[in-house]
Amino acid sequence: MSISTLRRSARETVSGLPPGFWWLWLSTLVNRTGAFVLTFLSLYLTLELGHSAWFAGLVVALHGLGGVAGSPLGGVLTDRWGRRPTMVTMHLAGAACAAALAFVTSAWGIAAVVLLMGVAMQAVRPSINATIADMVPAHDVRRAYALNYWALNLGFAIASIGGGAAAFLGYRTLFVVDAVATVLCAVIVFLRLPETRPERPAPTEGKPAAEEKVSTLTVLRDAPFRTLVLLNLLVCLVFTAPWIGLPLTMADQGLSASSYGVVIAVNGVVIVGFQLLVNKLTDKRSPVLLLVLSSLLFALGTGATALAGSSVAFAATVVVWTVGEMIHVPTNAAATARLAPEHARGRYQGVMGMSWAVAGFVAPILAGAIVGGPGPDVLWAATAAIGVLAAAGYATRLRKALAEDEDVVTAPVPVPGPVPSPAPAPVVVKGENAEDAEDAEDSPLNA
């Protein structure tokens, strides 16, 4: 592949998106570039304040627990307040928590602040994802999610390098810088990002608008979407396991902590270096095919960890499941946007985000218990089996739902037929069609 071909592919990958998307992209990059709290929190708690490793792990888990509550909260606020007010409010709340960590030293105070930070950081994500779905044409939504995910990882890589180099300034200084970057992110959103929430449908015959009837419980009753959430939870468990199990497995084989640092850095390097290429190769592919492929890559990469015996081999397994990550994250977000009605995009993204938060809380505990009990090989065999199960679920339970929805969304004109209205056919929301819901309810995953 020539240089000119690569340049043309890169141009095609980033072209054609509305200006508002790029302001949102910039806000994501700025926010993640200053994301020092989670990266250095455990070191701050153990080395600076003298707390035990057990307490540090508990505090990090509390951050994930806050996200379990924050994601559906953010979804509701996104649909009721609007996308921009929710983003600004939650960014400012996260900034306040980061700044507070620079001054709070008591164990209970730190635990409370980190819990609230988890709520705020996770609550902002449904508004971001809903905004992308609002402003980007349907056929470009997955590409937009991939670009935003690339910005997130690029910012995180910069934060990791910059934070390590600036650690001599003190952890508290890094937390203040994190707060300043998050405030700047909120300012960008407030000044440059337009509100994209669709207008509320007008009430008819004295009845409230349809928007008023949508709740988190209503979202969970959407059978195809519920299946998507459950399958994503399985994938998230597999994806999260290496972040705890991999360093323990490498240490069990006598490899140093620095070796693990190099191996896990491969994840960020691959995403930053190849996300645009992967997005180009997977563009316009079937979402079900991509979700199946990503699940199998997660299964292969994590399962092969049991066979690795050197840093190079461990790094190779990280490359495999990282490619799965690059495919899965934007595809899953786009599938969520497709299944959600316009006025409930925030709630749908919030429920989907909750599956990530639950996995972030549960997987580290399970992975640590399995490695410390039956052993690392059992952990990696389990992740491989779960990944294959998720792939089978996507292939058998969501093929019809996502394929039909994709046909409706991407159709340039209404298909002629016995449609009573000459207006373009509305987007079909899976789970609100009785026949689709009955078909999907037969799945054991929906029990």
Side-chain angles (χ1 to χ4, degrees), residues 338-423:
R338 282 175 176 172
L339 293 177
E342 286 187 354
H343 64 276
R345 279 172 175 161
R347 289 176 174 86
Y348 272 66
Q349 293 288 353
V351 171
M352 180 57 71
M354 189 166 58
S355 67
W356 288 92
V358 169
F361 177 69
V362 173
I365 298 174
L366 293 179
I370 294 174
V371 172
D377 289 350
V378 174
L379 172 65
W380 304 123
T383 58
I386 294 172
V388 171
L389 177 63
Y394 284 123
T396 60
R397 305 312 308 171
L398 286 176
R399 182 180 299 277
K400 180 180 178 181
L402 291 181
E404 284 186 355
D405 189 75
E406 183 180 34
D407 292 340
V408 174
V409 170
T410 57
V413 293
V415 178
V419 180
S421 171

Side-chain angles (χ1 to χ4, degrees), residues 308-325:
S310 65
S311 296
V312 174
F314 282 116
T317 66
V318 172
V319 170
V320 174
W321 59 256
T322 297
V323 175
E325 176 189 354

Side-chain angles (χ1 to χ4, degrees), residues 244-265:
I244 299 298
L246 184 57
L248 297 177
T249 301
M250 294 180 66
D252 188 59
Q253 297 194 15
L255 297 173
S256 65
S258 60
S259 297
Y260 167 71
V262 173
V263 168
I264 202 61

Side-chain angles (χ1 to χ4, degrees), residues 20 30-31 50 82-83 101 147 158 174 241 282 321 364 387 403 413 434:
V30 170
N31 189 25
R83 282 57 162 146
L101 283 177
L147 288 170
I158 296 172
L174 294 182
T282 57
W321 59 256
V413 293

Side-chain angles (χ1 to χ4, degrees), residues 5-356:
T5 302
L6 289 174
R7 287 177 178 173
R8 185 169 59 254
S9 296
R11 246 189 338 263
E12 292 173 354
T13 301
V14 301
S15 64
L17 297 174
F21 168 78
W22 291 110
W23 285 112
L24 183 63
W25 185 92
L26 178 62
S27 71
T28 298
L29 180 63
V30 170
N31 189 25
R32 296 298 294 181
T33 299
F36 298 118
V37 170
L38 288 182
T39 306
F40 297 96
L41 182 59
S42 60
L43 294 177
Y44 171 67
L45 293 173
T46 54
L47 300 181
E48 181 83 5
L49 300 183
H51 292 293
S52 65
W54 175 86
F55 177 76
L58 174 63
V59 170
V60 174
L62 286 175
H63 185 277
L65 184 61
V68 175
S71 190
L73 171 64
V76 171
L77 295 178
T78 295
D79 290 333
R80 289 187 178 178
W81 283 4
R83 282 57 162 146
R84 190 173 68 161
T86 302
M87 272 188 265
V88 171
T89 300
M90 293 305 164
H91 279 315
L92 292 178
C97 291
L101 283 177
F103 304 99
V104 176
T105 57
S106 69
W108 286 108
I110 291 173
V113 170
V114 172
L115 178 66
L116 292 175
M117 176 176 279
V119 173
M121 289 182 65
Q122 194 68 30
V124 78
R125 294 183 181 180
S127 58
I128 293 174
N129 287 341
T131 299
I132 292 175
D134 291 339
M135 67 170 51
V136 175
H139 60 276
D140 283 330
V141 164
R142 200 191 71 83
R143 176 163 64 100
Y145 283 127
L147 288 170
N148 198 65
Y149 189 65
W150 181 56
L152 188 150
N153 282 277
L154 178 61
F156 182 76
I158 296 172
S160 299
I161 297 172
F168 68 91
L169 297 174
Y171 295 107
R172 290 183 174 87
T173 302
L174 294 182
F175 297 161
V176 172
V177 173
D178 189 329
V180 172
T182 308
V183 169
L184 179 58
C185 173
V187 170
I188 293 174
V189 171
F190 181 75
L191 294 179
R192 305 302 305 177
L193 193 67
E195 175 57 55
T196 63
R197 183 180 65 168
E199 294 184 5
R200 297 183 180 184
T204 58
E205 298 181 1
K207 296 181 180 179
E211 180 178 354
E212 302 296 333
K213 300 180 181 179
V214 179
S215 65
T216 300
L217 183 60
T218 306
V219 175
L220 292 174
R221 288 172 179 163
D222 183 334
F225 179 68
R226 186 170 67 243
T227 301
L228 183 68
V229 171
L230 292 174
L231 292 173
N232 185 67
L233 176 60
L234 294 180
V235 173
C236 291
L237 291 172
V238 177
F239 168 65
T240 307
W243 299 94
I244 299 298
L246 184 57
L248 297 177
T249 301
M250 294 180 66
D252 188 59
Q253 297 194 15
L255 297 173
S256 65
S258 60
S259 297
Y260 167 71
V262 173
V263 168
I264 202 61
V266 170
N267 174 259
V269 171
V270 170
I271 292 176
V272 172
F274 297 99
Q275 179 72 68
L276 297 183
L277 176 60
V278 169
N279 187 58
K280 178 64 177 177
L281 295 175
T282 57
D283 194 26
K284 311 302 181 186
R285 305 293 181 182
S286 162
V288 172
L289 173 64
L290 295 178
L291 291 170
V292 170
L293 175 60
S294 63
S295 299
L296 293 177
L297 288 172
F298 275 119
L300 177 61
T302 58
T305 306
L307 306 176
S310 65
S311 296
V312 174
F314 282 116
T317 66
V318 172
V319 170
V320 174
W321 59 256
T322 297
V323 175
E325 176 189 354
M326 289 190 289
I327 296 173
H328 179 84
V329 173
T331 304
N332 182 72
T336 301
R338 282 175 176 172
L339 293 177
E342 286 187 354
H343 64 276
R345 279 172 175 161
R347 289 176 174 86
Y348 272 66
Q349 293 288 353
V351 171
M352 180 57 71
M354 189 166 58
S355 67
W356 288 92

